Amino acid sequence: MGLTTEPTVRETRRPPTRWPFSFGDSRLNPWRGLGGLPREVWLLFATNLINRAGMMVLPFLVLYLTRELGFSAARAGLMLAFYGASAIVFGPIGGRLSDRIGALPVMRASLIASGSVLLLFPLARSFIAVAAMTVLWAGCGEMFRPASLAAITHVVAPEQRRQAFALNRLAINLGMSIGPALGGFLATVSFRAMFAVDAVTTLVAGAVLALTPWRAFSGVNSEARNRGGESAGPATILHDGPFLIFLCGVFFVGVVFFQHESALPLYLVQYLNLSPAFYGMLFTINTLLIVALEVPITTATAHWPNTRSLIIGCLLFAVGFGALGVIASPSGVIATVVVWTFGEMLLFPAMSAHMAEIAPENRRGAYMGAYSMSLSIALTLGPWLGTQLLASFGPVIAWSVMFALGALAALLMAYPARRVRRPFAAAAAGS
């Protein structure tokens, strides 16, 4: 479908198709919130599960570049920087395109294009060629996230959004528990096989979206059009002060969160003399807790205001990472991981649901793109900041700074929540 400024197909008002099974209606069933989710959410669950179960190139990209192509460690690390910078640029583009042509075409194109690039990636051998392929791959792949968040917002009723976003994260975490492990095995056998498997699973995920019927939706329905300027919101995102404050909170808590990939392993191995295997076990604990508890916790707290989940989630991140400044035992480290994992389970579904409430209905994709960009910037800068603080000032200062950033994020999350524009919330509720 070509790019157009004309209105896309309007959202249908017939009841959404439900998945043909039930999780039961008992209040004692912690998974009961999933039974009434629309069919499209389950299709997106399957798409993310297939895609993430094959995601193995990115975690092993540096290893591939250094061992297979003979790149220096510095040049290989630069490719990850290229990937992160591309995500910052292309995430918002994906969000804006989903507002213009619809979220579904963007998701389909993203998966099919990124899968195709992965098939061709091993043909690149020089630094320039690999850099170009990395930017192209990141650009194609990173447009998927804001479009998928916007798609969930369009097809799910406001009261079910947290459960839907939690289910989406469940698919991602289940897939990521498979992909890197399989990638580690394939990397010892054949890097080309690793690229092929990642590419095929990405293309299969795209086929799931391309070959299954979805309800027509655009996020701009007739009621929103009748309200006109009431739901249009500020002229641009840069004029939306409360939203920009919220994005600052997202960035700061993202910086804290991404320490689990940078400063945390460095601290465990170099300062506490723990093994890399212990660090790997922490990932397993984190994933198992999320798979087992995130959906039940989201269901149990669905009646909470988003503000409460946002603030508590940020504070749990602050405490979980900040406590590492005074904890040196393996059991204590495990306890901190449990603390910030609970923060993760509360925070991320609530942030996505909060986005759906405060975003103008006809620009949800753009707002989701800005949200994704904030996390991408945090991923790009956060690991560098954490490792620099740890190397220059030691663990007490490094983890104290992370505590302060988490607490600051909690304050920033609370501020825009007190000023949620009721027309936006009403538009999201379909009133």
Side-chain angles (χ1 to χ4, degrees):
M1 182 183 298
L3 183 64
T4 176
T5 57
E6 293 297 321
T8 52
V9 181
R10 294 180 179 179
E11 184 177 0
T12 58
R13 285 301 179 185
R14 58 186 174 84
T17 303
R18 307 295 178 183
W19 199 253
F21 56 79
S22 172
F23 288 87
D25 297 325
S26 171
R27 289 184 176 273
L28 298 178
N29 182 358
W31 300 84
R32 65 185 182 276
L34 301 184
L37 291 176
R39 176 176 174 271
E40 289 80 4
V41 174
W42 289 100
L43 291 175
L44 195 55
F45 173 88
T47 299
N48 271 313
L49 181 59
I50 295 169
N51 185 33
R52 295 297 179 134
M55 183 177 179
M56 56 192 70
V57 170
L58 187 59
F60 292 92
L61 183 61
V62 170
L63 189 62
Y64 164 73
L65 295 176
T66 53
R67 290 192 177 181
E68 184 80 3
L69 301 188
F71 282 22
S72 66
R75 282 198 161 194
L78 190 59
M79 293 304 164
L80 292 181
F82 287 159
Y83 189 98
S86 300
I88 293 172
V89 173
F90 284 94
I93 293 175
R96 290 185 177 277
L97 282 175
S98 68
D99 288 332
R100 298 282 293 276
I101 65 176
L104 185 58
V106 173
M107 290 189 293
R108 289 170 173 168
S110 171
L111 291 171
I112 293 173
S114 58
S116 301
V117 171
L118 281 171
L119 284 176
L120 300 175
F121 202 117
L123 299 179
R125 311 295 292 181
S126 67
F127 177 82
I128 297 299
V130 171
M133 294 296 285
T134 300
V135 171
L136 183 60
W137 172 39
C140 294
E142 290 300 319
M143 289 195 294
F144 180 86
R145 184 194 301 175
S148 67
L149 295 176
I152 292 174
T153 301
H154 293 328
V155 300
V156 177
E159 65 273 11
Q160 289 184 304
R161 282 179 184 150
R162 281 204 218 174
Q163 290 95 322
F165 288 123
L167 181 67
N168 190 58
R169 277 177 41 83
L170 176 62
I172 292 172
N173 281 284
L174 281 174
M176 289 301 292
S177 68
I178 300 171
L182 179 59
F185 169 75
L186 291 176
T188 62
V189 178
S190 168
F191 281 110
R192 287 182 177 271
M194 183 179 68
F195 277 94
V197 171
D198 198 336
V200 169
T201 53
T202 304
L203 292 171
V204 170
V208 170
L209 292 184
L211 301 178
T212 52
W214 279 56
R215 286 181 297 145
F217 62 88
S218 67
V220 186
N221 57 43
S222 57
E223 293 180 13
R225 293 184 188 281
N226 292 335
R227 283 191 293 267
E230 183 183 7
S231 62
T236 67
I237 288 176
L238 295 179
H239 290 85
D240 192 342
F243 177 65
L244 293 178
I245 294 174
F246 171 75
L247 287 185
C248 288
V250 172
F251 168 73
F252 286 128
V253 78
V255 167
V256 179
F257 172 65
F258 289 121
Q259 298 311 310
H260 77 275
E261 298 180 350
S262 54
L264 179 59
L266 192 64
Y267 173 63
L268 296 179
V269 174
Q270 294 190 1
Y271 289 84
L272 300 188
N273 295 317
L274 297 172
S275 68
F278 178 82
Y279 171 64
M281 183 190 67
L282 298 181
F283 268 97
T284 302
I285 293 173
N286 171 263
T287 302
L288 289 176
L289 285 173
I290 290 173
V291 170
L293 297 178
E294 180 163 325
V295 170
I297 286 175
T298 303
T299 300
T301 60
H303 63 286
W304 286 11
N306 287 328
T307 313
R308 185 185 303 174
S309 296
L310 293 173
I311 294 173
I312 294 176
C314 288
L315 290 178
L316 289 175
F317 271 113
V319 172
F321 283 96
L324 290 169
V326 295
I327 286 177
S329 66
S331 59
V333 171
I334 292 174
T336 66
V337 172
V338 172
V339 169
W340 63 256
T341 297
F342 273 87
E344 182 182 355
M345 291 187 285
L346 279 173
L347 182 66
F348 284 103
M351 283 200 300
S352 299
H354 185 65
M355 287 283 302
E357 286 188 4
I358 67 175
E361 196 167 5
N362 61 337
R363 282 188 284 154
R364 282 174 177 158
Y367 274 61
M368 291 296 184
Y371 166 68
S372 296
M373 182 180 70
S374 296
L375 288 176
S376 296
I377 295 174
L379 176 59
T380 302
L381 299 180
W384 173 84
L385 174 63
T387 54
Q388 290 299 310
L389 287 172
L390 191 62
S392 302
F393 302 102
V396 174
I397 296 297
W399 298 121
S400 296
V401 169
M402 294 307 145
F403 175 83
L405 291 179
L408 177 59
L411 291 175
L412 294 174
M413 292 290 188
Y415 174 76
R418 293 197 302 269
R419 300 179 56 192
V420 169
R421 292 165 293 279
R422 298 313 305 166
F424 292 5
S431 62

